[in-house]
Amino acid sequence: MSTQSHPKGLYLLFVTEMWERFSYYGMRAIFTLYMIKALLFDKAHASDIYGTYTGLVYFTPLIGGYIADRYWGNRRSILAGGVLMAIGQFMLFFSGSFHDTNVAAASWLLYGGLGMLIAGNGLFKPNISSMVGQLYAPGDKRVDSAFTIFYMGINTGSLIAPLICGTLGDTGDPADFKWGFMAAGFGMLLSLVIFTLFKNKYLVTPEGKPIGMAPKRHHESGEKVVHAPLTSIEKQRLAVILIVSAFVIFFWSAFEQAGASLTFFAEEQTNRNLLGYVIPASFFQSLNPISVVIFAPIFAWIWTKLGHKGMEPSSPAKMALGLFFLALGYLVIAFGVDGLAPGVKVSMLWLVSLYVLHTFGELSLSPIGLSLVVKLSPARFTGLMMGIWFLSSAAANKFAGTLSELYPDPAKPVPHFLGYAVTNLHDFFMLFVMMAGASSIVLFALSSVLKKMMHGRQ
């Protein structure tokens, strides 16, 4: 975990991704609050927009990965994506500027800004993740810990984002949301500047060759490069990615309640008074990244220690453990709100406990999944398979918005999901317990079979 044990390019990608994630999570921290407080959308409508936006954010990497693999390369795709996202954030700033004087303009700027963020993220997200693996030689055992370090960069950005953007935007005055969006825009610009200045110096292979350049689709003679057909082992490894991706849907659909229903819960039914200071609801979205920064080195150490002893679980088994921690987090908060009357507020410790347990789940699943895609994908398909990995997150995030619409409202009819009535918060949170818990059990049962299909790339 020392700086000497990994190439310097990892830390450039760390900082680039940190500021991009600052931009994304800063906006996300105040996004649903902006819609219900400034634009006066109801919670169900805001949840639907949130789910559609975050779903498309994770769908477009499939296209961005293909564009990079076939035409632009990772570097050019990252730069183009960053520019689009910066434009999107500043469009949200102008949306916030018009929310009380021209609601129609504010709404169109909101949707236009979201479109820019969606397109930009599609180009940026899969390609920066793919470049992490390219810094290492095939079979290098440092790749898992590299992705864990990279993941700390993601979470350092998402840690400070709600604190800064929430402080500026979530003040209780709807006119201030625009300042949170402006801060997110400047974060994206900083990411672009850092990447542009240092990419040529540090983004190289162990042999010193540049990575992430535009693909060479032709030989010097002008003939097209013909890719060899997939071998049986390669097909099985790709099948593992696809199978595990299906389980990831259940994880992220529950985890991503942080930006929707859990924000509503923090705003309305959590006692946020701390020593006379009322903590903004958006601040609670920093609990997860704070926990990641604290516990990521511990998890990396645990996997390394178990690996030296020959006891490290396979990647699918780790991910099953992640789903278990997710279910446990919702079980804790379901207990905390059992019998709670509408309008009554509970201790913030219940929400803190949920986010810490969800962090354990995230560290067992997300960086492991990113590493798995790189390890199992043939080099010519890495960008595309990273896009497919994020496609499962797209489905999950859209599903997250649908599930957030079930958040109980005493003024509205009782919502139902597949015949399950959500009459109160306890019922709402238990839905996630059952969904994540069942997924954990099934994935753990399949883990030994999936391990064999990976053919030694654990």
Side-chain angles (χ1 to χ4, degrees), residues 150-228:
F150 179 69
Y151 213 69
M152 289 173 66
I154 293 174
N155 284 277
T156 301
S158 56
L159 186 163
I160 59 177
L163 302 179
I164 295 176
C165 296
T167 296
L168 295 173
D170 185 16
T171 64
D173 182 352
D176 288 337
F177 281 113
K178 63 179 179 289
W179 303 120
F181 294 135
M182 174 175 276
F186 280 115
M188 191 64 246
L189 290 177
L190 185 56
S191 173
L192 278 170
V193 169
I194 292 170
F195 184 79
T196 302
L197 289 176
F198 299 106
K199 66 183 188 304
N200 294 333
K201 183 175 182 180
Y202 294 121
L203 296 180
V204 295
T205 66
E207 295 77 28
K209 297 180 180 179
I211 63 172
M213 305 300 287
K216 296 180 180 179
R217 301 192 305 277
H218 301 82
H219 289 298
E220 291 181 3
S221 61
E223 297 178 359
K224 291 185 178 180
V225 176
V226 178
H227 290 310

Side-chain angles (χ1 to χ4, degrees), residues 124-133 147 150 370 374 386 390:
F124 191 101
K125 188 68 176 173
N127 292 299
I128 195 163
S129 299
S130 297
M131 290 184 81
V132 174
F147 272 100
F150 179 69
L370 290 171
V374 172
M386 193 66 74
F390 288 119

Side-chain angles (χ1 to χ4, degrees), residues 141 233 237 376 451-458:
K141 294 185 179 297
I233 290 178
R237 287 172 174 164
L376 297 186
K451 182 178 180 180
K452 292 178 182 177
M453 294 172 63
M454 291 162 66
H455 294 280
R457 293 190 179 177
Q458 308 306 325

Side-chain angles (χ1 to χ4, degrees), residues 45-378:
H45 185 43
S47 294
D48 181 52
I49 294 174
Y50 171 82
T52 300
Y53 162 66
T54 55
L56 288 173
V57 156
Y58 285 98
F59 173 78
T60 49
L62 180 64
I63 301 171
Y66 177 80
I67 289 173
D69 283 348
R70 290 282 295 170
Y71 304 108
W72 286 2
N74 301 125
R75 298 186 184 204
R76 191 182 300 173
S77 298
I78 289 169
L79 289 171
V83 169
L84 289 175
M85 285 190 285
I87 292 172
Q89 296 287 15
F90 287 110
M91 289 180 72
L92 293 182
F93 164 76
F94 286 112
S95 173
S97 300
F98 291 123
H99 84 277
D100 57 345
T101 58
N102 192 332
V103 176
S107 297
W108 280 112
L109 284 165
L110 170 71
Y111 297 129
L114 295 179
M116 289 289 184
L117 290 169
I118 289 165
N121 189 83
L123 290 167
F124 191 101
K125 188 68 176 173
N127 292 299
I128 195 163
S129 299
S130 297
M131 290 184 81
V132 174
Q134 296 174 43
L135 293 168
Y136 299 85
D140 194 321
K141 294 185 179 297
R142 297 176 297 169
V143 172
D144 268 5
S145 63
F147 272 100
T148 301
I149 293 171
F150 179 69
Y151 213 69
M152 289 173 66
I154 293 174
N155 284 277
T156 301
S158 56
L159 186 163
I160 59 177
L163 302 179
I164 295 176
C165 296
T167 296
L168 295 173
D170 185 16
T171 64
D173 182 352
D176 288 337
F177 281 113
K178 63 179 179 289
W179 303 120
F181 294 135
M182 174 175 276
F186 280 115
M188 191 64 246
L189 290 177
L190 185 56
S191 173
L192 278 170
V193 169
I194 292 170
F195 184 79
T196 302
L197 289 176
F198 299 106
K199 66 183 188 304
N200 294 333
K201 183 175 182 180
Y202 294 121
L203 296 180
V204 295
T205 66
E207 295 77 28
K209 297 180 180 179
I211 63 172
M213 305 300 287
K216 296 180 180 179
R217 301 192 305 277
H218 301 82
H219 289 298
E220 291 181 3
S221 61
E223 297 178 359
K224 291 185 178 180
V225 176
V226 178
H227 290 310
L230 291 170
T231 66
S232 174
I233 290 178
E234 287 176 331
K235 290 178 180 178
Q236 290 185 50
R237 287 172 174 164
L238 292 178
V240 171
I241 296 175
L242 297 177
I243 292 170
V244 171
S245 295
F247 285 92
V248 166
I249 294 174
F250 296 101
F251 182 88
W252 290 119
S253 62
F255 186 91
E256 287 297 332
Q257 295 302 309
S261 66
L262 291 176
T263 294
F264 302 151
F265 180 77
E267 174 72 20
E268 298 174 350
Q269 296 208 244
T270 299
N271 182 358
R272 296 180 279 117
N273 193 306
L274 181 65
L275 302 177
Y277 172 70
V278 179
I279 300 172
S282 55
F283 277 27
F284 284 85
Q285 292 189 47
S286 283
L287 288 171
N288 167 246
I290 287 171
S291 300
V292 168
V293 172
I294 293 171
F295 292 107
I298 298 173
F299 271 73
W301 177 82
I302 290 172
W303 302 141
T304 301
K305 198 74 172 178
L306 291 174
H308 289 158
K309 295 182 178 180
M311 298 171 60
E312 184 177 7
S314 66
S315 294
K318 291 178 184 176
M319 299 172 80
L321 181 64
L323 281 159
F324 170 77
F325 279 125
L326 185 74
L328 188 59
Y330 276 111
L331 183 62
V332 167
I333 203 165
F335 176 80
V337 300
D338 193 15
L340 185 70
V344 176
K345 296 187 176 183
V346 299
S347 168
M348 67 180 77
L349 291 177
W350 294 109
L351 205 50
V352 171
S353 299
L354 174 141
Y355 278 119
V356 171
L357 287 166
H358 282 191
T359 299
F360 293 169
E362 183 183 8
L363 289 171
S364 300
L365 181 139
S366 190
I368 303 304
L370 290 171
S371 177
L372 187 72
V373 172
V374 172
K375 289 189 290 188
L376 297 186
S377 300

